[in-house]
Amino acid sequence: MKFSLSWLREHLETTATVEEICARLNTIGLEVEGVEDRGAVLAPFRTARILSAEQHPNADRLRVCQVDAGEGFERVQVVCGAPNARAGLSVIFAPPGTWIPGSDITIKAGKIRGETSGGMLCSLRELGLGQETGGIAELPDGTVVGQSYALFADMDDPVIEIAITPNRGDALATRGIARDLAAAGMGELRPWLAETVEGTFASALTWADTFPEACPWVLGRTIRGVRNGPSPEWLQRRLESVGLRPISALVDITNYFAFDLGRPLHVFDVAKVGGNVLTVCRGAGETLRTLDGGEHVMTVDDCVIADANGVQSLAGIMGGEATGVSETTTDVFVECALFEPVHIALSGRRHNLHSDARQRFERGVDQALPPAALEAATRMIIDLCGGEASEVVSAGAPPAWQRDARLRFERIATLGGLTVAPDVAVTSLERLGFDVRSRDAQQVVVGVPSWRNDIATPIVLDQARDLPPEQAERAAQGVRAVDAEVDLIEEVLRLQGMDAIPAVSLPPLSAVPVAALTSAQARVAATRRQLAARGLLETVGFSFVSYEQASAFGETPESLRLLNPIAVDLDQMRPTPLVNLLNAVHHNAARGYPDLGLFEIGAGFGAGGQRQIVAGIRSGHSPRLPAHPATPVDLWAAKADILEALRVAGASMEGLSITADAPSHYHPGRSGTVRQGPRLVLGYFGQVHPALLAERGIDLPVVGFEAFIEDVPEPKRRRRAPPNLSPFQPLHRDFAFIVARDVPAEQLLRAVRGAERNLISAVSLFDVYEGDKIPEGHKSLGIEITIQPVERNMTDADIEAVCARVIAAAKKTCNADLRG
């Protein structure tokens, strides 16, 4: 919310400076976000008159001017190069020591080509106010010399911007801010009373309201014979100071009252309205072209205003282009209505429409103000545009906004931590507009003013369904009373100053600190460290991606499609972080960085809900090292990554198996699914499908993985025994088995590992061979076993017996033959 100092002083009688006002706004909860004071920069500049202008004796393009700039500079010599410098011209003078914002220089007294110069005559460009290039600025004849240029140009009016919390709709009005400052002791609130304009004829348009849930009360009146030209200069400057563009007198007046009283208004061109009735109703699929040029399809949940030709306004948010006023408008109908905040908020989000009217209605406006606001707007329209007003027409009825709230004085200290005398508390509330209904030594009951929609409002409780009705009602009454009381305590405390409230530490939850990380968080941290140690860089991506990209990586339920995305390419919840990682590969490869290793631990979304996924990707080639040339990344790197991620997450590596049924975004013959048991899927890995890479223009080898560490079963908590370290030397044996090509290596490793569990401590694959020395349809798998004696050193016979059991297990399980 923006307002200028002069605008504020129309409602607040005060002599406080801008700095004092800003400081008090911060202490009462209206946080100042910025102050724009162009007058402060222009303060040193003053108006002046050139007394004489003679040719410089040593320079053809310079003139020596005698200038009268008022007290202290009654006759100062200035050397000027402007071609329009002449005697009698009123100008802008910068004394020595003045910083010139348009040129970023500081003026110094000195000599120019041998002639003394005691200042500078300025153009508007040099003041940072325009693009003037024809010379120095020319002020009107008769301009009084020696006055501040900022004062002369009406630029000594600072503009303050404050942040508004959702509950303070009343602070979206200059008068509401003035009321708060007056209550905080910064001056006196000036009285405001709208002058009644008597209607002299029946209104050309009337109201009908078939949607009272969204619009309980609507008023209006016709003003005929108006002239809609540019608004006066004072009104244009006022709107420009808060960032609004003046349009025409009629539109500017409605914008003025939105910022002055927080009361949005709208004007219809009567000649463009079909029929003589405007109806507040539900939408029915009509298309409305709004004043900003956008087209929107109305729904049954939207509150609209329609005439005989159809919908003409999205009520409370933005009017329609068809009935907007123009320079040819002669008769207007002024709308002044109350709209239900939730309906306005939902419609605004549904159509992605933002306006000053929506901002105020969805926070709540003064529910008793419409009649007075309509009278004030009528008077200003007649004063600025002429015409005469009709009688006021309406539909619906004023809402029952009247409500009371109770404050127990001792609760200010117990809940707020600050001791405030009862008289001070009551006075604070009265200055804010609360009426005292009753008072005793312990409490006060006040009437809430119509503009404070955030205090003592009805509360919707989500109570247990099996709660007895009597108990539920008592609980609801208690909540309503406490909620209103807390609101009043907040008002009292903030007027005392937010910085006066003592800081209190939160009580400790327990004497013994709780664990810093849960087991799930510890898993994530361990996985993050392990993947970083493997050379992958962590990234963080949006959970929103484009629908086209998401559909290539899995299911894209309509329920996860965004109706109102922040960007057109962020309209779908991603099924996996792999989408973002592949985009990162494309982005970096296009800029000359094809060799990447990235990972992300983030959310993936599907029909089953949200799940945490550890995703990683490698692209290009491995690093070049001595004696190790760079090689293209392959699926074995992705397999190693996912197995390490699962290992540090606590998965039992001996219980894992690999199956060739990875999702369709992986290469069907160069990918796998990591399982624990036949059903529990812990992740996928493999080469990214070539068609997917081609669609994105990626001409690189790319492999990736997705691990579901949340699904890793929690290890059983057992008392850990000390390790049983054997004193005997382990020994290694290699085997080469010929198996059918479709036999997974994991199946052979598992069979060999189970051949002698007491002595075989490790089994690993070191070679896969297919060639002319191997039968057709078969392959050779080279494995290494580690035999660890436990009770005694092993003899050759013992070792041969173990090897025989290994060969037998391989034959039985995989029909494997020992390669000769």
Side-chain angles (χ1 to χ4, degrees):
M1 170 65 187
K2 289 184 177 181
F3 58 94
S4 65
L5 182 61
S6 63
W7 200 341
L8 177 70
R9 284 177 172 162
E10 285 194 359
H11 294 282
L12 181 68
E13 186 175 348
T14 182
T15 58
T17 63
V18 173
E19 292 76 15
E20 292 171 336
I21 289 173
C22 289
R24 187 58 57 88
L25 286 170
N26 283 325
T27 63
I28 62 176
L30 300 177
E31 181 181 359
V32 176
E33 291 193 320
V35 178
E36 182 184 2
D37 188 1
R38 292 188 295 177
V41 177
L42 302 179
F45 297 89
R46 53 172 64 192
T47 58
R49 182 181 297 108
I50 299 177
L51 302 177
S52 65
E54 306 293 339
Q55 181 66 43
H56 193 292
N58 302 318
D60 294 340
R61 297 185 178 182
L62 298 179
R63 296 189 178 190
V64 179
C65 302
Q66 302 299 320
V67 177
D68 178 9
E71 185 178 355
F73 298 92
E74 287 82 359
R75 192 174 186 86
V76 58
Q77 180 169 294
V78 178
V79 177
C80 178
N84 60 333
R86 60 186 182 272
L89 181 65
S90 294
V91 294
I92 304 170
F93 173 71
T98 302
W99 177 68
I100 309 298
S103 305
D104 194 22
I105 60 173
T106 300
I107 298 301
K108 296 180 180 179
K111 289 187 177 182
I112 300 177
R113 294 288 184 94
E115 293 292 331
T116 301
S117 182
M120 178 179 179
L121 304 182
C122 302
S123 67
L124 294 181
R125 180 190 61 80
E126 289 164 330
L127 269 64
L129 301 177
Q131 300 296 325
E132 180 181 339
T133 58
I136 57 177
E138 299 187 14
L139 303 184
D141 293 339
T143 299
V144 177
V145 300
Q147 63 178 316
S148 166
Y149 177 74
L151 180 62
F152 166 81
D154 271 336
M155 301 182 70
D156 61 334
D157 192 12
V159 176
I160 303 171
E161 183 175 6
I162 62 173
I164 302 297
T165 53
N167 65 315
R168 290 301 309 276
D170 63 299
L172 285 170
T174 306
R175 184 164 183 82
I177 298 168
R179 184 186 297 112
D180 266 22
L181 287 170
M186 293 300 292
E188 294 295 328
L189 184 67
R190 298 181 187 272
W192 181 86
L193 183 63
E195 178 185 350
T196 301
V197 179
E198 296 294 338
T200 59
F201 60 95
S203 177
L205 299 176
T206 59
W207 285 112
D209 187 359
T210 63
F211 198 3
E213 300 90 347
C215 179
W217 191 25
V218 58
L219 308 172
R221 74 191 319 173
T222 301
I223 304 177
R224 66 188 181 190
V226 300
R227 297 178 302 279
N228 187 28
S231 55
E233 185 178 351
W234 70 266
L235 181 54
Q236 293 189 35
R237 286 203 308 267
R238 184 143 293 177
L239 296 179
E240 288 171 345
S241 70
V242 297
L244 295 181
R245 177 177 60 89
I247 298 175
S248 66
L250 290 172
V251 177
D252 292 350
I253 289 170
T254 63
N255 288 334
Y256 171 82
F257 282 103
F259 279 79
D260 187 60
L261 302 177
R263 168 29 60 181
L265 302 167
H266 183 65
V267 287
F268 295 89
D269 189 329
V270 173
K272 299 177 181 178
V273 175
N276 58 2
V277 177
L278 287 173
T279 303
V280 181
C281 58
R282 293 179 179 270
E286 307 93 337
T287 298
L288 171 68
R289 186 175 181 87
T290 49
L291 289 170
D292 63 353
E295 291 190 351
H296 306 272
V297 178
M298 302 297 100
T299 72
V300 294
D301 295 320
D302 293 321
C303 181
V304 301
I305 298 176
D307 64 2
N309 299 324
V311 173
Q312 301 300 341
S313 174
L314 182 55
I317 299 177
M318 191 172 292
E321 190 177 79
T323 55
V325 297
S326 65
E327 65 277 0
T328 61
T329 298
T330 57
D331 298 344
V332 297
F333 185 75
V334 186
E335 168 217 320
C336 183
L338 287 180
F339 297 105
E340 199 276 326
V342 175
H343 278 87
I344 294 297
L346 293 177
S347 286
R349 295 177 189 176
R350 192 178 299 118
H351 298 285
N352 194 25
L353 273 176
H354 302 273
S355 66
D356 294 322
R358 171 192 166 182
Q359 186 184 28
R360 285 156 177 79
F361 279 126
E362 69 183 5
R363 286 166 173 80
V365 297
D366 188 338
Q367 299 182 73
L369 186 62
L374 183 59
E375 295 291 351
T378 301
R379 172 51 58 195
M380 184 174 287
I381 290 173
I382 292 175
D383 289 345
L384 300 185
C385 304
E388 59 176 328
S390 75
E391 298 172 348
V392 175
V393 293
S394 66
W401 58 264
Q402 295 83 357
R403 57 199 184 277
D404 294 342
R406 180 188 64 162
L407 171 62
R408 290 168 288 179
F409 299 126
E410 55 91 14
R411 301 284 281 179
I412 300 176
T414 57
L415 290 182
L418 185 66
T419 301
V420 179
D423 288 344
V424 174
V426 173
T427 301
S428 298
L429 294 175
E430 288 179 323
R431 290 177 68 87
L432 286 170
F434 293 84
D435 294 326
V436 176
R437 306 284 196 220
S438 63
R439 177 186 174 183
D440 55 31
Q442 286 75 38
Q443 65 181 16
V444 62
V445 177
V446 297
V448 181
S450 58
W451 55 82
R452 290 307 298 268
N453 296 281
D454 57 318
I455 295 177
T457 53
I459 299 174
V460 178
L461 295 178
D462 187 12
Q463 296 179 319
R465 295 182 180 179
D466 57 351
L467 199 65
E470 301 81 5
Q471 185 178 354
E473 179 58 28
R474 288 198 303 271
Q477 290 177 359
V479 169
R480 287 193 290 267
V482 171
D483 182 76
E485 186 174 50
V486 169
D487 290 338
L488 296 183
I489 292 173
E490 179 185 357
E491 296 303 299
V492 172
L493 290 179
R494 71 183 184 87
L495 289 190
Q496 305 308 307
M498 293 293 191
D499 50 359
I501 302 173
V504 179
S505 300
L506 291 173
L509 297 177
S510 66
V512 179
V514 298
L517 295 177
T518 65
S519 60
Q521 291 171 330
R523 283 183 176 189
V524 171
T527 305
R528 178 178 288 111
R529 286 195 301 269
Q530 186 65 19
L531 292 177
R534 292 184 59 79
L536 301 181
L537 297 176
E538 185 176 12
T539 68
V540 178
F542 281 125
S543 293
F544 307 115
V545 296
S546 71
Y547 172 78
E548 291 74 16
Q549 292 177 345
S551 60
F553 285 84
E555 296 181 355
T556 52
E558 190 64 26
S559 60
L560 298 179
R561 188 84 176 268
L562 302 184
L563 299 179
N564 185 21
I566 60 176
V568 293
D569 58 346
L570 298 174
D571 60 345
Q572 181 73 36
M573 304 294 284
R574 67 182 184 187
T576 169
L578 209 58
V579 184
N580 305 74
L581 296 178
L582 192 61
N583 289 340
V585 168
H586 176 267
H587 182 86
N588 283 272
R591 287 157 179 79
Y593 297 95
D595 303 331
L596 292 176
L598 307 172
F599 79 95
E600 179 180 348
I601 303 177
F605 304 86
Q610 175 180 335
R611 69 190 310 186
Q612 190 177 55
I613 300 175
V614 179
I617 204 165
R618 292 181 185 270
S619 67
H621 293 72
S622 63
R624 298 172 60 186
L625 299 172
H628 293 280
T631 58
V633 295
D634 54 30
L635 66 92
W636 307 115
K639 180 180 179 182
D641 289 334
I642 190 173
L643 291 180
E644 279 299 296
L646 293 174
R647 182 185 65 80
V648 298
S652 173
M653 304 306 291
E654 294 184 357
L656 298 183
S657 61
I658 309 295
T659 58
D661 55 348
S664 60
H665 52 271
Y666 291 102
H667 192 298
R670 300 176 184 176
S671 59
T673 297
V674 182
R675 298 176 181 271
Q676 182 167 324
R679 296 185 179 180
L680 181 58
V681 175
L682 295 182
Y684 311 109
F685 69 93
Q687 290 187 5
V688 178
H689 200 289
L692 193 57
L693 298 178
E695 287 177 3
R696 286 160 172 74
I698 301 175
D699 187 19
L700 296 168
V702 180
V703 298
F705 69 89
E706 298 158 87
F708 313 127
I709 60 175
E710 286 183 333
D711 297 336
V712 174
E714 287 281 351
K716 295 181 179 179
R717 296 189 177 184
R718 298 175 179 174
R719 185 173 180 179
R720 300 184 64 180
N724 185 15
L725 301 177
S726 174
F728 305 105
Q729 187 76 18
L731 56 117
H732 304 274
R733 288 291 183 270
D734 293 345
F735 299 85
F737 290 103
I738 297 176
V739 298
R741 183 178 295 167
D742 59 353
V743 174
E746 184 67 32
Q747 183 179 347
L748 178 63
L749 295 176
R750 192 178 300 109
V752 170
R753 191 180 297 117
E756 182 57 76
R757 292 189 177 275
N758 293 330
L759 293 176
I760 298 177
S761 60
V763 181
S764 62
L765 177 73
F766 67 84
D767 181 56
V768 179
Y769 174 73
E770 295 181 39
D772 55 359
K773 300 183 183 300
I774 304 298
E776 183 69 24
H778 290 72
K779 61 184 176 183
S780 172
L781 300 179
I783 64 172
E784 178 190 46
I785 68 171
T786 301
I787 302 174
Q788 176 63 64
V790 178
E791 298 178 351
R792 59 182 176 82
N793 279 321
M794 300 181 69
T795 64
D796 289 344
D798 296 333
I799 297 171
E800 290 299 327
V802 172
C803 291
R805 285 193 289 272
V806 168
I807 295 171
K811 180 67 175 178
K812 179 180 179 181
T813 305
C814 304
N815 195 25
D817 294 321
L818 193 64
R819 182 179 173 188

